[in-house]
Amino acid sequence: LDVSPDRNLFAEGIRPTDPWLASGLWSEESAAVHKIAREELLRDGLPVAEVAAELTVRRAGKRVVSDAADVDGAWLSTLYRAVGSDAPFVLEDFHAFAWQLAARMGRRPDLAYVNSELEAQIRFPMIHRAGADARCLAEMLRLIAGCP
C-alpha cells in the first residue's frame, strides 16, 4: 500500500484541447473552482498526450482511488479519448477503499475515517487542486493503515 503523501505525486495542469474549449468541457466555472486561469493552462499546461502517457506509466498495475470517482472518471475518459484510447485503469471510490482498509486493520471504520480526515486536513488542507488534495487523501490512508 503506497500511502506516502508525496510518493509518485504527479499533479500537472493539462493544456485544454481546442475541442474541449469549443464544446465547453473547459469552462470559466471550472477555472474558478480550481483557481486556474485559462491563460495559465494554455501557457503552462502539459499536452494531453504527455499527461495520458505519464499517467499510464505511473499507474500501471496499481489500484487508483478518487474521492470523486464519477467526476474524475469522466475527465479521465475525456483525457484518454483525446489521444484515441481508453483509460488503462478504473478509478475506485476512495471512501469505500478507506472504509475497507480500516476494517482490515481491525479499526472501527467510522471513527478511523473521521479521525484520519480531521488530522490529514490539518497537515494537508484540501484546496480543490489535484496535488494538495491527493496529499491529504494519501495521508488519510496512511493514518488509517497506522503507518509511521
Side-chain angles (χ1 to χ4, degrees):
L1 178 64
D2 177 359
V3 294
S4 171
D6 293 314
R7 184 174 293 164
N8 298 319
L9 182 63
F10 176 67
E12 297 291 335
I14 302 169
R15 185 178 309 135
T17 65
D18 290 338
W20 292 357
L21 295 170
S23 68
L25 278 174
W26 190 96
S27 67
E28 292 300 326
E29 181 181 314
S30 297
V33 167
H34 296 283
K35 297 177 181 63
I36 304 173
R38 175 187 207 163
E39 296 73 26
E40 179 184 348
L41 287 176
L42 290 171
R43 182 187 65 242
D44 302 329
L46 297 179
V48 293
E50 188 175 330
V51 173
E54 189 70 24
L55 284 175
T56 298
V57 169
R58 288 174 176 262
R59 299 299 110 199
K62 295 183 173 69
R63 290 178 79 175
V64 182
V65 297
S66 169
D67 63 336
D70 54 343
V71 174
D72 291 341
W75 269 110
L76 189 66
S77 294
T78 299
L79 172 72
Y80 278 93
R81 271 196 315 271
V83 297
S85 68
D86 293 326
F89 53 88
V90 175
L91 295 180
E92 297 181 40
D93 180 66
F94 170 83
H95 311 287
F97 181 82
W99 195 273
Q100 293 162 3
L101 175 62
R104 283 196 313 269
M105 300 303 295
R107 302 179 65 195
R108 271 190 54 187
D110 55 343
L111 292 178
Y113 188 96
V114 169
N115 289 338
S116 69
E117 184 175 35
L118 291 172
E119 191 169 339
Q121 285 274 354
I122 291 168
R123 294 179 185 175
F124 302 101
M126 292 182 76
I127 58 172
H128 212 70
R129 293 289 295 262
D133 293 359
R135 280 185 186 96
C136 184
L137 296 174
E139 181 69 1
M140 282 181 66
L141 294 178
R142 191 188 71 72
L143 292 166
I144 289 170
C147 295

